[in-house]
Amino acid sequence: EIVLTQSPGTLSLSPGERATLSCRASQSFSSSSLAWYQQKPGQAPRLLIYGASSRATGIPDRFSGSGSGTDFTLTISRLEPEDFAVYYCQQYGSSPRTFGQGTKVEIK
Amino acid sequence: QVQLVQSGAEVKKPGASVKVSCKASGYTFTSDYMHWVRQAPGQGPEWMGIINPSGGSTNYAQKFQGRVTMTRDTSTSTVYMELSSLRSEDTAVYYCARTNYDILTGFWNAFDIWGQGTMVTVSS
């Protein structure tokens, strides 16, 4: 099982600032199988990034993903008020599919 | 538009079973796969398993083997997840989520469409 560890647990930032979220895997896997999701309270997760760096339909270009092997990053270039949420990374290429424990981006 | 609509909240006693439905619309039901994911209060998502609506084959997470059953009804474009021998730790929101397999690349795709979630509470 691939264990995903996200850091930091909480990121306190102001609107307009840059957010950098990390996801580290317990073993290397194809970047084609790494996704990032955004989740707001009371809502289902929403796909932001797939294949480590491709934006899903309708996702603004302030969201970008990068990385390979065991280290992956989600960057939000300039935080908008609607971006304050919890973000999860996920590997979806093999069973069991696994998720990180999440990074909460909160308003400072 | 593509959407997954799940059944309503459930309250069950320990030892009981629960069956959650997920009705798909807006796409060809048998062309894509469906996952079930649960999320306990304040926790990250946890993958439970996957079903192929076309043939009905399943692959369950080891943690749920023997307790979970995923089925589908192609006539109504609905998938079901039944969890038995419920305990308090099964209290969570249960989601269905769509994916597909790209035969050209040999890779699975991410979970692009999610249901709205079904809250299952297990309490005596």
Side-chain angles (χ1 to χ4, degrees), chain A:
Chain A
E1 174 175 330
I2 298 174
V3 177
L4 299 177
T5 301
Q6 293 186 239
S7 61
T10 303
L11 205 46
S12 298
L13 295 168
S14 301
E17 290 194 292
R18 182 185 188 90
T20 304
L21 287 66
S22 173
C23 175
R24 178 161 291 178
S26 60
Q27 61 191 86
S28 181
F29 65 96
S30 171
S31 61
S32 299
S33 303
L34 189 283
W36 290 92
Y37 299 85
Q38 177 193 67
Q39 188 175 34
K40 297 180 180 180
Q43 297 183 15
R46 176 175 73 142
L47 178 64
L48 295 177
I49 301 287
Y50 63 92
S53 60
S54 298
R55 278 186 299 277
T57 302
I59 302 303
D61 61 7
R62 64 180 180 273
F63 291 91
S64 63
S66 63
S68 64
T70 60
D71 290 297
F72 300 90
T73 301
L74 174 69
T75 302
I76 311 171
S77 59
R78 291 180 315 279
L79 283 164
E80 297 288 339
E82 62 268 26
D83 299 336
F84 292 91
V86 180
Y87 294 82
Y88 296 99
C89 59
Q90 181 213 26
Q91 73 80 20
Y92 54 87
S94 62
S95 292
R97 277 69 166 176
T98 50
F99 293 84
Q101 82 280 16
T103 290
K104 181 180 182 180
V105 179
E106 65 176 22
I107 300 177
K108 185 175 181 180

Side-chain angles (χ1 to χ4, degrees), chain B residues 107-123:
Chain B
F107 285 103
W108 286 95
N109 288 322
F111 300 10
D112 64 343
I113 303 294
W114 293 62
Q116 83 277 18
T118 297
M119 181 70 214
V120 174
T121 303
V122 183
S123 174

Side-chain angles (χ1 to χ4, degrees), chain B residues 59 77 84:
Chain B
N59 178 15
S77 299
S84 62

